[in-house]
């Protein structure tokens, strides 16, 4: 098994060409020819995660967020990115990132977020058509809870499903929650599309102030459960999918990474 | 007294030409010729704020955030912005907004935020030079606490000073807090400049996930006290300044507006 | 009947998506929900036209030229546009504009101009294909007079047909006029296309000096009958079309508006 | 005397670097080394003007409007421009054009237009600062009539001064005319600047419909005396200036060119 | 026979619409109506070539490289281009250029280069699809020698086939040459595509230093036989093709032009 | 001594801010904190040069051409650039590049090229003003030979001075060579500036066909001595300058690199 085999399999479940034009996906550091027995899955390739990979003997890190997003004009080891690259190379660790292709793929991050919240009849919040492709992808999902519940109950469920203790609420709380939209990571700010769907609540992360204010003015309700929590639910699922295909591989989710935000 | 007189006085304390090129400031709706006896101050011109102004008989609203930011291609009363404009016009209420010119002016929002946190020796976090102007303005401030304190004590003080119950913390908490940076509203994401200042903590709002992550990787500590709380402290000060100059005017801060985010 | 019903009917006879990309059409001010019993038709929403609508009790103005063309960054009542908006809102008058979609639609302004000049066998001067649409629209028309006539006779007929007393002539007058091109409002300056059609004369408006000079050099003849006169002929026709569909509505053409140019 | 000497002298009275960035001025066709005894002055280098030059033995044409404005990708003699170039080259005639440098220079077209209308105390309508230059140029002029007169009298004077029989009037006619703005050729559409000057009337040319309408809405009055007539007044003056400097040269104004617009 | 007939025939063998968007092809100077009995073929329309055409009585020059590539803002006879245009016009010589349309057309420059080197089974190096066209064109060619030969033998053959005495070699010389790529004129720098073809050598011209260095790093071998030599082989072929179609025409290849580079 | 000390010294002799805006200079890979005892100088950081550095124990490579010019979106070890980066990092070798700052600095590449050809009275071919700087830099140099010589003698001298066996000549050979321009690396194609200097010959490298042709048409003579040869003369000089300042350092010029072009 080598890095290239994993990259090819990822192309089957979340084709690289599904990624947005501005995105950066695929092999970030290393070689398709590197032999792999152990893979570490993570949201972000932090210095802690690299140490974890080195210590546990993983030859490959598979991250959701791109390790190299802004192109590099130098590899300066006095910067954290340069130091991380040097550590990866010296430890012979390859890095692969699967980002918006994984967000939008069937069974990807948005689908998994909808499942985590027990939505039924999940369909695309809005269609997403990568340039030059004919495919039925979507950004965000919309679905229904089996039984409607009170907003307070819903908030408790979200916390439990996403393993978080705190979240932020925007707008007017609905009396009952039945129809729910989800948008993993960071909502794309298209409040008009959201409004036309007449959902009771949107669960997403990373909402900025001015969007929050407009949403409230438009009578919408948003639960900001955090960028980290609304996406990290993909990791166990990805681990299982990879394990099913590559039975001989040892695949683990990072134990070192946490949400960079804590509440006080 | 008319709206034009207030606009002219604001130009003395926070010149309109100090505003950033992308910003929208000054008269938003109404007429410089309108006679004014009562002004309502607010962060944002929401529907609630407009009702409040109409009910209390204010002929003018002075907001921090621009009432019209994206230019209008129509005034459609089925949208909240169109309905608000109609309500303002039918109630003969003028709207003036003072935004980045007020953020950066001496005695403006950043200065007031530094004062609220009892910083001494406050100076510019980074210089700000509006196009074609020679002036000594700055975005953000840096200063020192009179006595260093523990991070937990500092967090309690921030909450008290900004009248908030919750905030978010990013990165590694310092042992002691002495040197503090502030950046009202939303930090401009320039982590390199911040790092070079070697502050113990930055107090700001509206931090996005990827910036939070980079800040943590760079060993920085940020307190995200919210866009609303880090800016609303300007309103009482602005009320007093206007009252000193226009003694006959009745000037009040909105009692209807609140932070669109609540924590749960 | 409400404003939205009229907008929907206009979409049937001159679909909004036919408008050019740079154009601004549809609801300009007001609400689709407003109840309508009387509509005032006009070329341009001037202050006189607004007074006329208010006095005659029209709840809606339907103009050919867009009331809001340059997007608005403020509604300043010391400007004529701001004052007009305020007057419209205070009088509960909605404004809808149908511009390039009406120019190019079958039975629209260009077709009506060709009819007014008694052209037969009228076809598109050049094809017009709104982005992403498959349709057989055209800018300008070309047709033939039933019988050829002298240029002087033709000029007299144009004046009579368009109810004008003066016009401007460019280039070499042809001996006989048989094949005629028309281009309502303002010719698009594509002299090459015009030349290839070998028409005897083009009737249009708003010709600039340098285009006039080039046309003369190329041996073309143009009658500039004015922007106003070559378009206003649509109003009576539009009134009749609307009346046929909405029998209960009172629809009138403005009596207050005139061509802004007078000759001396 | 050769073409280069004339070009150098024009640089003294209307420096080439004063031309707008989008403009095209200077030598258009021919050679600085060509010997010159006779020069033909004109507004535009038409085919008639070229014949006139060839017949009268002029080795050089000096035009106001640029002979080559759009850059050439070929010299195709089936087009009028290609045929004109061939005729110029075969007749050894050089062409030089002095456009916006001559409009704005002291004693240039705008100044001459102001003089023609007997304005006193003529100053810049608005300042014009060619990129990278420090100089006191202006687009348009503003001045006063010695004695105020009725609008009808003023119109008669304009016709007489500019040798025209027809003109177009826009907006509300003032009762008395005293303060007058002029803008040679084609007004630059900056109605705001014009309004702030509080002139009784603007004399210019080439006004488009939408500008006419806005001007009327703003309460302004414009006399559109034509692009040709408001600029051609420079030719006799230019002839005299050149003759004073180059006494041995034969300099004539074209007798073949006329305004491409005629009124009917 | 006139220039237009030749232009039309060229459109059959190398359609003008095949040219790249940045290119300039077709009639450069003169008239489609000019009568032609003699045509001079050349790579570039130099002053020597124009004299040659004038002396031998050719009414038309057909060049490979565009005579007018940068659009002209003037025809200044003190520049070599202006002087050449004047000479062409005074001698009634038309110029037509067939560039990238001829490079990529079947039987065009690339095909002829492949034939000159005796390549068999010649196919496109990479597909080329002019905007909006469906056609099977290619930039460059790839083929095989009938029998593999040593690199030194191959170099001797290239010199002989292209009639050159010197060339430049880049990268590691292969032991045997069998599979060969050709790219007439100047290689387009797409080393990745070239590498994926696994050819033994590329024959092209006009290689810059940094491309040479990258090619060497990538283990490729390039023979730079010069822009002139890799394209001039089209002239005799074009002469024969034109002669077959226009039997009455006298068609000659320039005897005055040579490669601007000489080796020392 | 560490890498940062060398970078600082280079900033004294060829300030980094002198580099062109499009250029990439300074630290490319590694750390300013790395300790250095041995430096390898080269034109280009090729795989051979990296091996040479590793074998001879150099901790730093100082190259003229930027090691990272196009920004990196990944470090893929199946590409030569990715493999080189990995080799550098694994061998703890830092790379620093001094490019256009060194070309234009006093005593830099252009000055050294002029000296190598024994030019006297060397001055700037054209002024070069890095954005926002006031300094007297130049691209290229112009000077005189002490005694004029025949062109053939001059060519022999150039070969000897630059240690090359072959070069290419463009245009008409002058009878005598006295005034000479030099432009290291690759001439910037500004033939107009060159012509105005009236030099007998320009010595440069990397001339493309169309520039060669234009130069010949303009009567200029160019000796293309190659990009490599016209720049590599800086290495021994740079070695001596560094050795004078850092006496304890071992500094060597690469013995492995050669011009990627060979002549046959």
């Amino acid at each position: 098994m080598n890095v290239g085999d994993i990259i090819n399999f990822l192309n089957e479940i979340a084709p690289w060409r599904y990624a947005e034009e501005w995105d950066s996906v695929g092999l970030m550091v290393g070689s398709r020819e590197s032999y792999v027995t152990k893979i570490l899955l993570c949201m972000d390739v932090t210095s802690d995660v690299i140490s974890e990979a080195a210590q546990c003997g993983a030859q490959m890190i598979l991250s959701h967020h791109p390790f190299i997003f802004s192109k590099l004009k130098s590899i300066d080891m006095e910067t954290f990115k340069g130091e991380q690259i040097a550590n990866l190379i010296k430890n012979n660790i390859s890095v692969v990132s699967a980002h918006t292709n994984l967000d939008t793929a069937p069974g990807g991050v948005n689908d998994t977020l909808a499942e985590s919240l027990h939505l039924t009849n999940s369909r695309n919040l809005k269609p997403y058509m990568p340039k030059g492709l004919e495919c039925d992808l979507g950004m965000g999902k919309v679905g229904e809870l089996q039984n409607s519940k009170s907003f307070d109950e819903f908030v408790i469920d979200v916390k439990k499903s996403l393993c978080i203790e705190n979240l932020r609420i925007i707008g007017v709380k609905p009396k009952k929650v039945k129809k729910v939209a989800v948008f993993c990571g960071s909502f794309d700010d298209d409040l008009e599309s959201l409004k036309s769907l007449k959902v009771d609540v949107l669960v997403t992360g990373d909402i900025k102030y001015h969007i929050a204010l407009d949403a409230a003015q438009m009578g919408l309700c948003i639960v900001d459960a955090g960028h980290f929590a609304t996406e990290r639910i993909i990791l166990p699922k990805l681990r299982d999918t990879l394990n099913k295909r590559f039975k001989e591989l040892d695949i683990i989710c990072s134990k070192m990474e946490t949400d960079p935000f804590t509440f006080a």
Side-chain angles (χ1 to χ4, degrees), chain A:
Chain A
M1 208 69 47
N2 59 30
V3 169
D5 296 325
I6 318 292
I7 288 175
N8 291 341
F9 176 63
L10 288 168
N11 196 40
E12 290 171 27
I13 62 172
W16 301 109
R17 68 188 183 282
Y18 286 4
E20 301 239 25
E21 270 187 273
W22 51 258
D23 201 5
S24 170
V25 298
L27 182 71
M28 296 281 138
V29 173
S31 166
R32 277 174 184 76
E33 305 298 321
S34 287
Y35 188 69
V36 177
T37 60
K38 191 166 190 173
I39 302 178
L40 182 67
L41 307 186
C42 63
M43 276 293 107
D44 300 276
V45 184
T46 61
S47 299
D48 285 348
V49 165
I50 295 170
S51 301
E52 189 182 4
Q55 279 163 26
C56 77
Q59 302 91 351
M60 172 176 163
I61 296 172
L62 172 54
S63 73
H64 181 44
H65 290 129
F67 176 56
I68 300 177
F69 187 75
S70 306
K71 291 182 184 179
L72 303 168
K73 61 179 188 176
S74 67
I75 298 165
D76 178 349
M77 288 161 204
E78 304 305 307
T79 68
F80 75 87
K81 190 63 76 179
E83 192 193 17
Q84 290 171 351
I85 290 171
N87 282 339
L88 289 164
I89 287 173
K90 289 185 174 173
N91 285 288
N92 295 307
I93 299 170
S94 292
V95 174
V96 173
S97 303
H99 191 211
T100 50
N101 58 318
L102 189 60
D103 283 342
T104 56
V109 189
N110 275 309
D111 270 344
T112 304
L113 179 57
E115 284 163 27
S116 299
L117 301 184
H118 311 296
L119 299 188
T120 60
N121 184 30
S122 172
R123 60 265 180 209
N124 293 332
L125 193 155
K126 43 181 206 181
Y128 163 58
M129 191 73 82
K131 205 179 163 186
L133 288 181
E134 288 287 331
C135 57
D136 183 28
L137 299 172
M139 292 196 288
K141 296 286 165 184
V142 179
E144 281 83 24
L145 297 176
Q146 198 130 18
N147 303 300
S148 68
K149 51 182 72 167
S150 74
F151 184 74
D152 285 352
E153 282 175 299
F154 179 71
V155 164
I156 290 167
D157 283 3
V158 169
K159 286 183 177 176
K160 204 167 137 194
S161 301
L162 303 183
C163 305
I164 53 177
E165 284 174 29
N166 303 278
L167 47 70
R168 299 187 299 169
I169 298 164
I170 296 143
V172 186
K173 301 177 184 179
K175 282 187 183 152
K176 286 283 173 193
V177 177
K178 173 76 178 169
K179 189 174 180 186
V180 176
V182 300
F183 204 110
C184 71
S186 180
F187 182 56
D188 75 347
D189 299 353
D190 183 355
L191 293 168
E192 285 302 328
S193 293
L194 182 63
K195 191 180 183 186
S196 68
L197 292 168
K198 295 180 193 295
V199 297
D200 297 313
V201 67
L202 164 71
V203 179
T204 186
D206 242 359
I207 293 285
K208 294 273 284 186
Y209 176 78
H210 291 294
I211 294 299
L213 204 69
D214 282 357
Q217 293 289 302
M218 290 166 74
L220 302 169
C221 179
I222 300 177
V223 168
D224 181 336
H227 197 123
F228 187 82
T230 58
E231 298 200 322
R232 200 172 200 259
I233 34 105
I234 191 66
L235 295 194
K237 187 166 178 186
L238 197 55
R239 181 194 54 206
D240 297 347
T241 305
L242 285 166
N243 255 336
K244 192 177 283 176
R245 171 68 182 76
F246 299 102
K247 295 194 176 58
E248 62 281 42
L249 280 185
D250 185 7
I251 305 173
I252 56 172
C253 298
S254 169
K255 294 186 188 89
M256 295 302 293
E257 74 176 350
T258 56
D259 192 333
F261 291 99
T262 56
F263 288 70

